[in-house]
């Protein structure tokens, strides 16, 4: 058998040849892989460009309407000539935008609530026009087209359109001067900035009128009269106090109080500039107590709903007599002062005893009870220098003093050193009345013509609750106020209780435009304790208000020129 014999040099040459072959195969594989990658990338680019043609193929206007295409005014070719740049502007507004290449294109919206047939026709139109794509999501169907532009990015400004009611950072209701160097601004503050950023700051400055006069910086701090209120979702009532280290505007040259409201978050946003108050030259007046023009001022809560004109008539006549001739009533119409209510208030407005402000515009801002906290603080600062004592209670509540308690003036003279006087409630039944001797169950004929406080004569004697009170306040001794009492008094130990001054509360009677008496107690049983079968509350007979009916009617007759109508 022949034997092949390799020497050492031949073996080495063979090994080198095999190694070179292995390297050549690896090089080929690497080059093929690179080519495949570039090929895939090229295919992807071609696919992308098939969707976004150059705007040079489109008309200069770059606009297309689906209605025109459906009517046959546009060609169905793929070259996207004059009518083929799809821009169906359903909302009537276009937004300038850039694609990922930096080229701007127009974007407009089609209503997502369009019918299925309409959407089908839209699809057909869009499929025939390559520069247009259909974008769908849960909220939007849009057509998108490319528009050529050589302008800089500063011209490609996106525009955002707003609809509905948004949450505002701050809503100003009013601003008042509190002294020679202090002011109060009353309004609403959005809850979210306060909740998320704890204490968005405010800044104050006074800008004197006249050229070359330096502005004065002040210190601002805010108070929440309804802090912790859970009933409003978007806004809290807020009072901003602006105090300066020097007198401002006292030279009677005029000027502006400017407040800056900050968003308070980590993202820099320019503070909102608010011209809170403007004083004309000569307008400044001293706020000395000697300038009081009233003895007492009543500050009302927002009036809303279908109020009974007769109940309002009774309430205003009673308190016009109770407070005397040097008292004024500020009422706020949140929708409750309809034509009949206006009719019964008009004589008192003519006499200068009542002022009614229309505040129905605040209804669009979500706040507690028709923004009651904001409204009472507006009245608080508005009347702060009009009278020494301001009273806060509702129009279904009647202040009352026993006949042997002296005058209201003598009583409040005792409270001169106190800021706040708490007045306790006498809660009354809203439907229990005394039956007459000749009628057992049915109401007598004369009953409907009686005034409400004449016939509702049963008082609830359940245990008193902590908020069964209203109050009077010396506004100069407080910075803000609330519903049942003020929590922003100046100094300590400034609250006192006003016994024997009380108020009778006829809850839920002010908006009942029907006969109030629904349950009748026989006169023989009036001095017994009656227990309400529904909630177990005990009631006793109380005619403290009822016996004043004839006096109040005579007072109204003597005060008002024209007789008032009885309108339930």
């Amino acid at each position: 058998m022949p034997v092949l014999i390799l020497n050492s040099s031949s073996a080495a040459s063979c090994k080198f040849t095999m190694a070179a072959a292995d390297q050549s195969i690896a090089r080929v594989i690497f080059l093929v892989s690179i080519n495949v990658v570039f090929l895939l990338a090229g295919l992807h680019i071609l696919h992308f460009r098939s969707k976004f043609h150059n705007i040079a193929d489109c008309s200069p206007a770059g606009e297309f309407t689906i209605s025109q295409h459906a009517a046959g005014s546009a060609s169905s070719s793929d070259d996207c000539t004059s009518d083929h740049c799809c821009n169906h502007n359903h909302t009537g507004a276009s937004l300038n935008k850039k694609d990922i290449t930096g080229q701007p294109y127009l974007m407009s919206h089609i209503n997502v609530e369009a019918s299925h047939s309409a959407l089908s026709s839209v699809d057909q139109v869009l499929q025939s026009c390559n520069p247009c794509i259909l974008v769908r999501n849960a909220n939007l169907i849009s057509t998108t087209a490319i528009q050529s532009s050589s302008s800089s990015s500063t011209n490609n400004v996106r525009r955002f359109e707003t609809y509905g009611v948004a949450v505002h950072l701050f809503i100003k209701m009013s601003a008042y001067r509190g002294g020679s160097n202090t002011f109060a601004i009353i309004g609403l503050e959005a809850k979210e900035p306060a909740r998320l950023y704890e204490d968005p700051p405010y800044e104050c400055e006074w800008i004197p009128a006249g050229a070359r006069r330096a502005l004065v910086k002040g210190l601002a701090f805010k108070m929440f009269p309804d802090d912790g209120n859970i009933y409003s979702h978007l806004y809290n009532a807020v009072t901003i106090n602006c105090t300066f280290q020097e007198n401002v505007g006292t030279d009677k040259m005029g000027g502006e109080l400017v407040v800056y409201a900050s968003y308070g978050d980590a993202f820099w946003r320019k503070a909102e500039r608010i011209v809170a108050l403007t004083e004309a030259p000569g307008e400044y007046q001293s706020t000395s107590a000697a300038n009081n023009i009233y003895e007492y001022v009543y500050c009302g809560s927002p009036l809303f709903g279908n109020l009974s004109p007769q109940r309002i008539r009774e309430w205003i006549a009673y308190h016009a007599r109770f407070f005397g001739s040097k008292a004024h009533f500020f009422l706020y119409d949140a929708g409750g002062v309809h034509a009949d209510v206006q009719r019964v208030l008009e004589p008192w407005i003519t006499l200068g005893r009542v002022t009614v402000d229309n505040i129905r515009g605040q209804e669009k801002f979500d706040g507690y009870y028709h923004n009651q906290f904001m409204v009472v603080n507006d009245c608080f600062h508005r009347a702060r220098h009009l009278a020494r004592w301001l009273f806060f209670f509702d129009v279904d509540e009647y202040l009352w003093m026993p006949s042997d308690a002296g005058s209201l003036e003598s009583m409040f003279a005792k409270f001169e050193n106190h800021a706040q006087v708490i007045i306790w409630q006498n809660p009354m039944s809203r439907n229990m009345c005394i039956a007459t001797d000749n009628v057992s169950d049915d109401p007598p004929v004369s009953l409907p013509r009686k005034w409400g406080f004449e016939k509702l004569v049963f008082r609830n004697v359940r245990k008193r609750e902590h908020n069964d009170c209203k109050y009077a306040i010396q506004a100069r001794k407080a910075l803000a106020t609330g519903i049942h009492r003020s929590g922003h008094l100046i100094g300590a130990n400034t609250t006192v209780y006003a016994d024997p001054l009380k108020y009778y509360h006829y809850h839920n009677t002010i908006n009942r435009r029907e006969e109030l008496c629904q349950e009748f107690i026989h006169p023989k049983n009036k001095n017994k304790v009656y227990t309400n079968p529904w909630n177990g509350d005990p009631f006793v007979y109380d005619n403290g208000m009822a016996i004043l009916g004839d006096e109040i009617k005579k007072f109204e007759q003597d005060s008002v020129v024209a007789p008032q109508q009885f309108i339930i």
Side-chain angles (χ1 to χ4, degrees):
M1 173 180 290
V3 178
L4 178 64
I5 299 176
L6 299 174
N7 56 26
S8 59
S9 62
S10 299
S13 176
C14 182
K15 289 179 181 180
F16 176 81
T17 303
M18 293 178 65
D22 290 341
Q23 291 177 0
S24 297
I25 294 172
R27 187 179 294 110
V28 170
I29 293 173
F30 175 77
L31 292 175
V32 170
S33 299
I34 293 296
N35 287 332
V36 169
V37 170
F38 277 101
L39 177 62
L40 292 175
L43 291 174
H44 179 74
I45 292 172
L46 290 174
H47 177 70
F48 182 83
R49 288 182 176 177
S50 70
K51 288 189 174 183
F52 296 93
H53 282 224
N54 192 288
I55 195 64
D57 296 333
C58 298
S59 66
E63 294 185 356
F64 172 80
T65 62
I66 290 177
S67 59
Q68 290 173 340
H69 185 280
S73 62
S75 170
S76 61
S77 64
D78 291 336
D79 62 356
C80 196
T81 55
S82 61
D83 289 332
H84 270 68
C85 286
C86 304
N87 183 29
H88 177 61
N89 196 344
H90 184 79
T91 62
S94 298
L95 301 177
N96 293 328
K97 187 179 180 180
K98 286 186 177 181
D99 66 7
I100 60 173
T101 67
Q103 293 294 329
Y105 61 91
L106 293 175
M107 179 164 132
S108 56
H109 303 302
I110 298 173
N111 195 325
V112 73
E113 297 178 356
S115 64
H116 292 294
S117 60
L119 291 178
S120 299
S121 64
V122 171
D123 286 340
Q124 294 173 3
V125 172
L126 296 176
Q127 289 170 6
S128 68
C129 184
N130 284 338
C132 306
I133 61 172
L134 180 66
V135 182
R136 284 193 177 94
N137 60 29
N139 301 313
L140 174 66
I141 297 177
S142 66
T143 58
T144 308
I146 304 294
Q147 182 184 23
S148 177
S149 175
S150 60
S151 60
S152 65
S153 61
T154 57
N155 293 329
N156 301 318
V157 179
R158 297 289 300 277
R159 182 162 57 92
F160 298 89
E161 300 180 6
T162 59
Y163 302 91
V165 178
V167 178
H168 303 279
L169 177 65
F170 180 77
I171 301 166
K172 186 196 111 179
M173 179 180 183
S174 54
Y176 300 97
R177 179 183 279 274
S180 60
N181 67 332
T182 182
F183 300 84
I185 302 94
I186 299 92
L188 299 173
E189 181 184 86
K191 275 192 168 185
E192 281 305 294
R195 183 178 68 86
L196 295 176
Y197 310 116
E198 295 183 357
D199 192 22
Y202 293 88
E203 294 182 2
C204 298
E205 63 184 26
W206 175 263
I207 304 177
R212 301 178 183 177
R213 301 185 67 193
L215 62 81
V216 183
K217 291 285 187 178
L219 175 66
F221 69 93
K222 63 182 179 180
M223 296 159 281
F224 291 120
D226 59 344
D227 192 21
N229 170 33
I230 62 173
Y231 297 103
S232 61
H233 302 290
L234 301 181
Y235 297 104
N236 276 324
V238 62
T239 296
I240 304 168
N241 180 279
C242 292
T243 300
F244 298 87
Q245 293 184 343
E246 59 185 87
N247 294 340
V248 292
T250 55
D251 57 2
K252 296 190 177 185
M253 296 296 292
E256 286 183 342
L257 173 69
V258 176
V259 177
Y260 292 92
S262 168
Y263 289 88
D265 54 19
F267 304 98
W268 185 90
R269 283 186 279 183
K270 186 177 180 180
E272 301 293 339
R273 185 179 187 271
I274 305 164
V275 179
L277 183 144
T278 301
E279 283 186 347
E283 185 177 350
Y284 170 78
Q285 292 183 353
S286 171
T287 55
S288 169
N291 295 333
N292 291 346
I293 60 175
Y294 303 114
E295 291 180 355
Y296 310 105
V297 163
Y298 167 80
C299 286
S301 295
L303 299 176
F304 63 94
N306 189 18
L307 299 182
S308 166
Q310 179 59 26
R311 302 287 88 83
I312 295 293
R313 172 194 175 188
E314 297 165 4
W315 183 92
I316 190 64
Y318 176 88
H319 286 99
R321 176 181 178 273
F322 182 86
F323 283 120
S325 60
K326 291 198 67 177
H328 194 79
F329 300 83
F330 288 106
L331 305 179
Y332 291 83
D333 172 23
V337 182
H338 51 78
D340 288 336
V341 172
Q342 182 69 30
R343 186 177 294 112
V344 300
L345 289 175
E346 198 62 44
W348 300 103
I349 296 174
T350 302
L351 291 172
R353 302 293 306 274
V354 172
T355 297
V356 179
D357 282 0
N358 184 334
I359 59 164
R360 300 184 184 190
Q362 54 76 37
E363 291 296 321
K364 61 185 177 183
F365 307 118
D366 167 63
Y368 170 72
Y369 211 72
H370 307 268
N371 291 300
Q372 184 178 11
F373 282 96
M374 177 179 67
V375 169
V376 297
N377 274 278
D378 171 79
C379 189
F380 173 85
H381 288 281
R382 175 187 197 172
R384 195 175 192 206
H385 302 289
L386 296 180
R388 183 179 298 277
W389 289 100
L390 314 183
F391 286 78
F392 294 84
F393 56 99
D394 295 330
V395 291
D396 58 357
E397 299 167 342
Y398 290 70
L399 297 186
W400 176 87
M401 292 172 56
S403 57
D404 58 353
S407 66
L408 185 66
E409 182 181 3
S410 62
M411 173 178 287
F412 273 78
K414 303 174 184 177
F415 305 140
E416 187 64 30
N417 295 326
H418 298 276
Q420 182 170 240
V421 177
I422 300 298
I423 307 168
W424 291 112
Q425 174 186 221
N426 280 341
M428 302 297 290
S429 169
R430 61 181 178 180
N431 57 13
M432 292 173 57
C433 302
I434 292 290
T436 60
D437 293 333
N438 59 342
V439 178
S440 57
D441 296 325
D442 296 331
V445 176
S446 61
L447 192 62
R449 303 294 296 183
K450 285 188 175 183
W451 286 16
F453 62 80
E454 288 186 285
K455 51 192 175 184
L456 296 175
V457 290
F458 286 90
R459 175 167 51 90
N460 191 326
V461 290
R462 60 176 168 78
K463 184 179 179 181
R464 177 186 294 168
E465 301 291 340
H466 75 282
N467 62 345
D468 289 345
C469 63
K470 293 298 169 67
Y471 66 102
I473 192 169
Q474 291 197 70
R476 290 182 181 82
K477 296 185 178 182
L479 296 175
T481 197
I483 306 303
H484 295 278
R485 55 175 60 83
S486 171
H488 300 276
L489 304 178
I490 300 173
N493 300 320
T494 56
T495 297
V496 67
Y497 297 94
D499 290 333
L501 179 65
K502 299 284 197 304
Y503 72 93
Y504 281 74
H505 188 189
Y506 301 90
H507 187 57
N508 282 347
T509 60
I510 192 65
N511 56 357
R512 286 179 59 191
R513 303 194 66 175
E514 59 185 4
E515 174 53 49
L516 297 177
C517 295
Q518 302 295 325
E519 298 182 43
F520 295 88
I521 306 299
H522 195 280
K524 294 180 180 179
N525 299 325
K526 69 179 183 181
N527 293 323
K528 297 179 180 180
V529 177
Y530 174 81
T531 301
N532 188 321
W534 299 104
N535 56 21
D537 283 352
F539 287 84
V540 299
Y541 179 72
D542 184 340
N543 67 344
M545 285 287 299
I547 60 177
L548 300 175
D550 291 338
E551 295 181 27
I552 306 304
K553 293 174 184 177
K554 186 177 186 306
F555 170 79
E556 181 199 56
Q557 185 178 358
D558 295 340
S559 301
V560 179
V561 176
Q564 292 276 54
Q565 298 181 3
F566 194 100
I567 307 173
I568 291 292

